[in-house]
Amino acid sequence: MTPTSFKTVSDKYDAYADQSPENELRAMNGDIINVIGTTMLSGMIAWGDAKPGDVGPINTHSLLCMIMFDKTTGQIRRFALQAEANGVIPDYLSDAIKSNVRNFEVLRPKASRAIVDAAVSNSWTDAEAKIPYDLWELPKVLIHNKFPWLYKKVYGNPHDAICSVYTGKRYAGQFASCYDAIYAKQGYLSPADLTRYLNPADFDVIWKQ
C-alpha cells in the first residue's frame, strides 16, 4: 500500500507504526508529525493560518515522535511529545494520532541518527522541565493577524507555548536552521509553517497528506 491509499487515519497510523525492518517508512525516533485535527479549535487554527498559495488542508497540530525499547518485553514503545494543556508531555503516539485527527504527515530529519537521538533526548529534558502551554496561544496570534485592529500586539517574545514552536524551534532548531528566518520575522511558528518553510536538505516529507 502507498501512504495515500488508506481508508482511515487509523489504518494509516498502523502502517506507520509497523516496525518491520522491510517497512522503510516505519516510525523513527525524532520524526515530526503534523496532523489535521477535527475539533473546533483545529478549525479555528486552519482558518486563521490559511495563506495564499496553500494547497490542500492546513496542518493544525505538531508533535514529536519518541521511540523507546522495552528490554523486558522486547517491544518498541512509541510516544508523542506534544504541547498540551498541562505543558509539553508524553502521550501514547497511537492516541495522539487516532484521536480527533483527519490525516497526518511526517517530517523525517536527514541529520545523522546520533544527532537526532540527542535532540530528542534534549527535548525530553525540556518536557520534564514543564514548559508552560497556553491552549489558545496560537489562535490568539492568528486572530491578531486576521484582525490586527481588534487586538494589541500579542507576540514579540518566543512562543514556547505553541506546539509547532516546540517541534520546529526547540527540537528541530538543534540540527536545522530552515525555520529561523520565518520565526524571527513572525515571532512564532504554526504547524503549517513547518511544511511551508521546510528545507528539503533538512527533512524528507513522508506519509504525505
Side-chain angles (χ1 to χ4, degrees):
M1 276 187 155
T2 66
T4 56
S5 64
F6 301 101
K7 293 182 178 179
T8 68
V9 70
S10 181
D11 291 341
K12 185 176 178 180
Y13 171 80
D14 289 343
Y16 172 61
D18 176 6
Q19 299 295 148
S20 303
E22 59 270 19
N23 180 13
E24 297 180 356
L25 301 180
R26 64 187 180 277
M28 296 188 69
N29 195 49
D31 283 348
I32 293 176
I33 304 176
N34 291 332
V35 308
I36 299 171
T38 60
T39 65
M40 182 178 69
L41 179 60
S42 296
M44 291 178 61
I45 292 172
W47 168 81
D49 196 32
K51 294 182 179 179
D54 284 341
V55 178
I58 303 294
N59 294 323
T60 58
H61 185 53
S62 182
L63 56 90
L64 173 60
C65 174
M66 183 179 69
I67 292 181
M68 302 178 71
F69 180 72
D70 188 334
K71 292 183 179 179
T72 302
T73 63
Q75 292 183 316
I76 292 174
R77 307 296 188 188
R78 290 169 289 274
F79 295 92
L81 283 177
Q82 56 184 340
E84 292 186 336
N86 294 323
V88 175
I89 61 175
D91 195 1
Y92 294 116
L93 186 61
S94 57
D95 287 346
I97 299 299
K98 292 184 178 183
S99 301
N100 299 315
V101 169
R102 180 176 294 114
N103 207 342
F104 70 91
E105 67 182 7
V106 176
L107 310 185
R108 177 154 294 168
K110 290 186 175 181
S112 72
R113 179 47 42 193
I115 289 175
V116 171
D117 288 346
V120 174
S121 180
N122 292 338
S123 298
W124 174 265
T125 301
D126 276 352
E128 289 185 313
K130 285 290 183 184
I131 300 171
Y133 180 65
D134 179 356
L135 184 67
W136 291 94
E137 179 73 8
L138 182 57
K140 285 189 294 185
V141 171
L142 298 175
I143 290 173
H144 170 271
N145 291 346
K146 290 284 188 179
F147 307 109
W149 59 91
L150 293 180
Y151 289 83
K152 295 180 180 179
K153 191 173 180 67
V154 295
Y155 50 83
N157 297 317
H159 287 285
D160 291 336
I162 296 175
C163 61
S164 38
V165 172
Y166 177 72
T167 56
K169 187 65 176 173
R170 293 183 71 99
Y171 163 64
Q174 297 177 74
F175 53 81
S177 60
C178 54
Y179 303 123
D180 290 353
I182 190 62
Y183 178 79
K185 179 180 179 180
Q186 296 182 153
Y188 71 95
L189 293 171
S190 73
D193 287 337
L194 301 187
T195 302
R196 290 184 184 121
Y197 302 102
L198 175 145
N199 184 343
D202 294 324
F203 296 94
D204 284 322
V205 182
I206 60 176
W207 301 100
K208 295 182 180 180
Q209 307 281 17

